[in-house]
Amino acid sequence: MNEFQVIDSVMPDVPPPSAGQLAAARERVLAATRVPPASGARVGRQSWTGMALVAAAVVLVVGVVVALVPRPAVEPVAVTPLQKLEAAAASLAATPEAKGRYWRRDTEQVMRTKNGYAYKVEERAMEVLAFGPDREVYGWHEPISSKPYTAEGLNAWRRDGSPRLCPARGCDRNMPAYSSVDLDAGLELADGLNPTLTQLRSLPAEPAALRERLLESYDPHAAAEREPWLAGAASRLINSPATPGTRAAAYLLLAKAPGIKVVDDVPGTFRLDGLALQSKEEQIVIDRRTGRLLGRQRLTPEGVAWSAEIVRKAGWSDVRPAPPAGCVRCTARL
């Protein structure tokens, strides 16, 4: 049996080497086995040495042929957007919470409109909602800026003499901030579902159990259809003082709601880049890695984002919220 028969026997599926590869390998084998003549007692030792060299050369040739055989292409396993959401939800559920007496959420509100001008204007404001011990609740809306957001709009605004655009900071000195939500209903999740902070914090962290618990408050005579009602409750729950596990379970509830799909190609009009729970009206955008809620984008019927709520900060601390001076009805008790 020659060296290439050995290769064929141990690697039957390897394609035959080319003529050039054969010639080169054969020359290496023959060169290795050329042993100078010897006499008497050394013949047996040289014979065994020659056989060992042949075996080593055959192993070398096998290695050369293996190296020349192309590796089969391995197709990457596709990960669906839903699987990415499940992983993000698991990451959120495992996130430890900071400790504190007050829970606070700061949201930047962005809206694009003509606002009475011939050019498009982007209005920005900060909105705060916070809860504390003894049923304390805080909430206010504070304008930040109004300005053109396209090159054409900016040029038109300059041609108009760069007039001051409102609402913005300083536009109304008598009302720098105001309450924009009903603080008495600050924890309301849906019609008929207005838990206390303690009840909210005790909601289940498993999707099926959470669904069952929420539906205990569903009243078909006082609310919309059951599934839209449930989706609305889950949608508000993900942006509340609920535990990370409960908010993660709410993501998975929403993903199965009628009219909701999970997408991973959000345009990011307002720099919200992540996974999205998308309906016809909005996108709820979630960080792919941590599961943190990044914000929401409202959509036109054509699917274009025209306004957003960007979550800048949310969590617990011992810092007591301080509404802006002169803010009317910005504190209350539940």
Side-chain angles (χ1 to χ4, degrees), residues 6-259:
V6 173
I7 294 171
D8 289 339
S9 67
V10 299
M11 299 183 64
D13 296 329
V14 175
S18 67
Q21 293 167 354
L22 282 170
R26 187 178 298 276
E27 177 61 28
R28 286 195 295 271
V29 173
L30 293 177
T33 57
R34 290 191 189 110
V35 180
S39 61
R42 301 190 62 185
V43 171
R45 181 180 300 175
Q46 290 171 341
S47 175
W48 281 106
T49 302
M51 292 175 65
L53 289 171
V54 170
V58 169
V59 172
L60 176 62
V61 173
V62 171
V64 170
V65 174
V66 170
L68 291 172
V69 176
R71 295 175 182 266
V74 179
E75 292 292 332
V77 178
V79 181
T80 67
L82 178 57
Q83 289 171 325
K84 292 180 182 180
L85 177 68
E86 290 169 344
S91 179
L92 174 63
T95 302
E97 281 191 294
K99 303 297 182 180
R101 301 176 66 231
Y102 301 92
W103 181 87
R104 172 171 170 166
R105 180 188 71 216
D106 291 44
T107 305
E108 185 173 359
Q109 308 283 331
V110 188
M111 183 171 62
R112 290 180 172 177
T113 176
K114 283 195 172 181
N115 196 19
Y117 301 98
Y119 37 84
K120 296 178 180 179
V121 173
E122 182 176 272
E123 300 175 6
R124 290 182 177 263
M126 287 301 299
E127 191 158 287
V128 175
L129 182 64
F131 300 93
D134 300 324
R135 299 171 57 125
E136 296 170 288
V137 59
Y138 309 79
W140 64 87
H141 181 100
E142 185 177 13
I144 297 176
S145 65
S146 293
K147 60 183 180 180
Y149 67 91
T150 65
E152 295 82 1
L154 184 61
N155 290 333
W157 174 69
R158 287 171 176 165
R159 286 195 298 269
D160 283 351
S162 303
R164 185 175 188 181
L165 304 177
C166 291
R169 283 196 173 105
C171 280
D172 188 345
R173 297 183 181 278
N174 297 320
M175 188 179 290
Y178 57 90
S179 177
S180 64
V181 296
D182 182 358
L183 299 185
D184 293 335
L187 292 173
E188 185 177 18
L189 300 179
D191 291 337
L193 182 54
N194 192 3
T196 65
L197 186 58
T198 300
Q199 291 170 336
L200 183 76
R201 300 279 298 168
S202 65
L203 287 173
E206 194 278 323
L210 178 61
R211 175 187 174 89
E212 183 178 352
R213 178 75 64 82
L214 293 177
L215 287 176
E216 290 175 0
S217 299
Y218 173 66
D219 181 358
H221 301 292
E225 295 181 15
R226 186 181 67 172
E227 294 306 317
W229 179 92
L230 182 64
S235 177
R236 295 199 66 181
L237 189 58
I238 64 175
N239 202 15
S240 76
T243 65
T246 297
R247 286 183 277 126
Y251 285 159
L252 302 180
L253 270 187
L254 274 174
K256 296 182 178 180

Side-chain angles (χ1 to χ4, degrees), residues 242-290:
T243 65
T246 297
R247 286 183 277 126
Y251 285 159
L252 302 180
L253 270 187
L254 274 174
K256 296 182 178 180
I260 301 289
K261 63 180 179 180
V262 185
V263 299
D264 193 22
D265 54 356
V266 180
T269 304
F270 298 100
R271 297 183 181 178
L272 290 174
D273 178 20
L275 291 165
L277 291 159
Q278 180 171 307
S279 65
K280 290 182 178 179
E281 295 81 20
E282 74 170 359
Q283 293 169 327
I284 298 172
V285 188
I286 300 158
D287 184 80
R288 299 179 184 88
R289 183 178 61 86
T290 65

